[in-house]
Amino acid sequence: MSQSTAPASPAGQIAAGYAFTGPALDLGALLWDGACLPEHQIRIPLSMLNRHGLVAGATGTGKTKTLQLIAEQLSAHGVPVFLADIKGDVSGISAPGTANEKIGERAKDVAQEWEATGCPSEFYSLGGIGPGIPLRSTVTSFGPVLMSKVLQLNQTQEQSLGLIFHYADTKGLELIDLKDLRAVVAFLVSDKGKPELKGIGGLSTVTAGVILRALTAFEQQGAAEFFGEPEFDTSEFLRTAADGRGLVSVLELPAVQDKPQLFSTFLMWLLADLYSDLPEVGDLEKPKLVFFFDEAHLLFNGASKAFLEAITQTVRLIRSKGVGVFFVTQTPKDVPADVLAQLGNRVQHALRAFTPDDAKALKATVKTFPNSDYDLEELLTRLGTGEAVITVLSENGAPTPVAATRLRAPQSLMAPIDAAALDQAVKSSLLYSRYSEPVDRESAYEKISAEQAAAEAEAEAAAAAAEAEKQAKAAAKAAPKPDPSLAEQVVGSGLFRSLARSIGTQLGREISRSIFGTARRRR
């Protein structure tokens, strides 16, 4: 008589969905029926990290520590990581953590062998705003399409901006910073510049005014610091350390967290630049780079339709370049639906339901998860700090079962490093001398200014000469005529005039030739 096999428990069935054969990141231990089950580990396949993800949850629930946990494991597997640090609390990833009683209890709960470890890190800032190696882009590199999107231009204005860039390219007018672009726009609507674009459509004064006003508003967001040279090479983010670990690039953004348009601009340029440079690779054993954008709601708040379309397209396509993108925010509704649909890996921390809007957001979040053995609407309100509901993509691309998880503790420092240590880390980088000092070489602004100055000087000289001639004539006319001399009387006599008529034509020609010949040689 055959022996029947007992059906697996719900916890066992959930855990089976995370039993991957290839390399994976360890997130934590399964929570079921109020108990932590360290024998059931929740993981995410390394090969699926390019399928993008979302880390969400209310303030204080542990989102930042989760991205720190994932980032340091990626680094350990040799995958470079980019972290956008809005609040300035991720810099500790560069230093070993400090053991304490809470960490010891967490490690025991989830069967983690905790060891204090820092990651090889570089620190950056936008154009030198705040501590970090400055990240800059030239206007030419940024291009008319992205510039049109961040300036929120309509289709007609975008086409005009394209003509402006085309003119600058063909005339060798390099657009390095925003004053270069402003100078070219102003020149093309001046009396001297208007004919330049006449054969290919022209630039209306109204459109030029719109572009110039948009540039002014953009500069008020701090964008002038971002555009310039030396331009940052985004391939620097793909480096590994000498020991083979992936380099963690931390973009320090506390100084610009009130300038979301500047942050958005940088993101668009960075992703577009990487996308254009990286080859198509399809699915890899591990990604080439993984991005984490903390406080993603700042990225999308007030964003234009064009910006959202650009982000959606980039997220959809950059996966095939081996790049994964994780958004970190409070609720999934902070991320546009078209972008959210591209995020295959989900780590949802606790949500609060103190207000009707909170309750509505909670219900909306529950609907974004696949079928679950949990009562998610209740579970999400009573998860503790460092606990989350997780679903990821398995190695065959299918969603794993929803798993409540007690997360592991990061092994790096779970606090910012002090300002002196950060400054030392920045200045000791090999990249600091390459990018720290801005360079303002001759470009469109200087060339157009020089031409205008020369034209103004020439006009002033001509006006001065004309005025001098006018005054000389006036003075000659006003001067009293003296009595005619004997010679003048002879010249004016009838006899002399008769003689002059007989030889006048040839004599006049010879004098004329002599005078003009001498003048040319003197010049």
Side-chain angles (χ1 to χ4, degrees), residues 185-230:
V185 174
F187 170 73
L188 289 175
V189 291
S190 67
D191 291 339
K192 185 177 180 181
K194 282 181 180 179
E196 296 287 339
L197 293 182
K198 189 174 182 180
I200 52 175
L203 176 65
S204 74
T205 304
V206 173
T207 298
V210 171
I211 294 173
L212 290 173
R213 287 193 295 273
L215 282 171
T216 299
F218 194 35
E219 286 176 311
Q220 291 173 350
Q221 286 280 326
E225 300 290 338
F226 171 58
F227 290 100
E229 287 185 322

Side-chain angles (χ1 to χ4, degrees), residues 261-284:
Q261 191 175 22
L262 177 59
F263 175 38
S264 303
T265 302
F266 167 75
L267 172 63
M268 292 178 68
W269 168 72
L270 178 60
L271 292 182
D273 192 71
L274 280 167
Y275 179 76
S276 62
D277 288 348
L278 291 174
E280 293 278 345
V281 294
D283 291 326
L284 302 172

Side-chain angles (χ1 to χ4, degrees), residues 171-474:
K171 297 295 183 179
L173 297 173
E174 293 179 277
L175 303 178
I176 304 298
D177 49 29
L178 292 181
K179 73 176 185 295
D180 290 325
L181 181 56
R182 184 186 298 278
V184 173
V185 174
F187 170 73
L188 289 175
V189 291
S190 67
D191 291 339
K192 185 177 180 181
K194 282 181 180 179
E196 296 287 339
L197 293 182
K198 189 174 182 180
I200 52 175
L203 176 65
S204 74
T205 304
V206 173
T207 298
V210 171
I211 294 173
L212 290 173
R213 287 193 295 273
L215 282 171
T216 299
F218 194 35
E219 286 176 311
Q220 291 173 350
Q221 286 280 326
E225 300 290 338
F226 171 58
F227 290 100
E229 287 185 322
E231 184 175 53
F232 188 76
D233 183 354
T234 55
S235 66
E236 304 284 9
F237 294 141
L238 304 176
R239 294 178 296 147
T240 56
D243 59 4
R245 289 185 294 169
L247 197 65
V248 179
S249 300
V250 183
L251 176 61
E252 292 294 327
L253 294 168
V256 296
Q257 61 180 309
D258 60 338
K259 301 177 176 67
Q261 191 175 22
L262 177 59
F263 175 38
S264 303
T265 302
F266 167 75
L267 172 63
M268 292 178 68
W269 168 72
L270 178 60
L271 292 182
D273 192 71
L274 280 167
Y275 179 76
S276 62
D277 288 348
L278 291 174
E280 293 278 345
V281 294
D283 291 326
L284 302 172
E285 292 183 358
K286 62 182 181 181
K288 289 186 174 183
L289 178 69
V290 176
F291 276 77
F292 290 89
F293 293 101
D294 199 4
E295 301 295 321
H297 66 278
L298 293 176
L299 176 66
F300 297 109
N301 280 354
S304 67
K305 181 180 178 182
F307 172 75
L308 296 179
E309 290 174 351
I311 288 293
T312 302
Q313 184 178 18
T314 302
V315 170
R316 181 182 297 117
L317 298 178
I318 205 168
R319 178 191 68 79
S320 62
K321 305 294 184 101
V323 176
V325 182
F326 273 70
F327 295 101
V328 184
T329 188
Q330 294 195 2
T331 70
K333 71 180 182 66
D334 293 333
V335 180
D338 288 342
V339 176
L340 191 63
Q342 308 299 319
L343 312 183
N345 303 297
R346 301 279 298 277
V347 180
Q348 178 66 60
H349 287 266
L351 291 173
R352 309 302 180 215
F354 299 141
T355 69
D357 286 343
D358 291 341
K360 185 177 180 180
L362 174 62
K363 290 181 181 294
T365 298
V366 170
K367 291 179 180 179
T368 63
F369 281 89
N371 292 334
S372 169
D373 290 318
Y374 299 92
D375 181 350
L376 289 180
E377 195 166 334
E378 178 186 358
L379 177 61
L380 286 174
T381 60
R382 57 182 178 84
L383 287 171
T385 301
E387 297 177 347
V389 170
I390 293 174
T391 180
V392 301
L393 293 180
S394 65
E395 290 167 313
N396 62 7
T400 59
V402 175
T405 307
R406 181 163 294 164
L407 296 164
R408 293 184 168 215
Q411 298 184 142
S412 54
L413 184 64
M414 290 188 282
I417 59 176
D418 60 55
L422 178 58
D423 185 65
Q424 174 62 27
V426 171
K427 292 182 178 177
S428 63
S429 170
L430 296 176
L431 301 182
Y432 182 74
S433 60
R434 189 182 308 170
Y435 295 108
S436 60
E437 291 299 323
V439 176
D440 189 12
R441 62 185 174 89
E442 185 183 61
S443 51
Y445 173 79
E446 288 78 14
K447 291 178 180 179
I448 290 175
S449 296
E451 290 180 3
Q452 289 177 337
E456 289 174 1
E458 184 178 348
E460 289 177 0
E467 181 63 25
E469 183 180 358
K470 180 179 178 182
Q471 291 179 357
K473 288 181 178 179

Side-chain angles (χ1 to χ4, degrees), residues 133-199:
I133 300 165
L135 300 182
R136 302 184 185 91
S137 168
T138 65
V139 172
T140 293
S141 175
F142 203 70
V145 176
L146 286 179
M147 186 63 73
S148 296
K149 293 186 186 304
V150 297
L151 295 181
Q152 301 181 33
L153 304 181
N154 62 31
Q155 185 176 359
T156 300
Q157 294 156 359
E158 180 178 346
Q159 291 170 349
S160 295
L161 189 62
L163 286 177
I164 294 167
F165 272 74
H166 173 73
Y167 172 79
D169 292 342
T170 56
K171 297 295 183 179
L173 297 173
E174 293 179 277
L175 303 178
I176 304 298
D177 49 29
L178 292 181
K179 73 176 185 295
D180 290 325
L181 181 56
R182 184 186 298 278
V184 173
V185 174
F187 170 73
L188 289 175
V189 291
S190 67
D191 291 339
K192 185 177 180 181
K194 282 181 180 179
E196 296 287 339
L197 293 182
K198 189 174 182 180

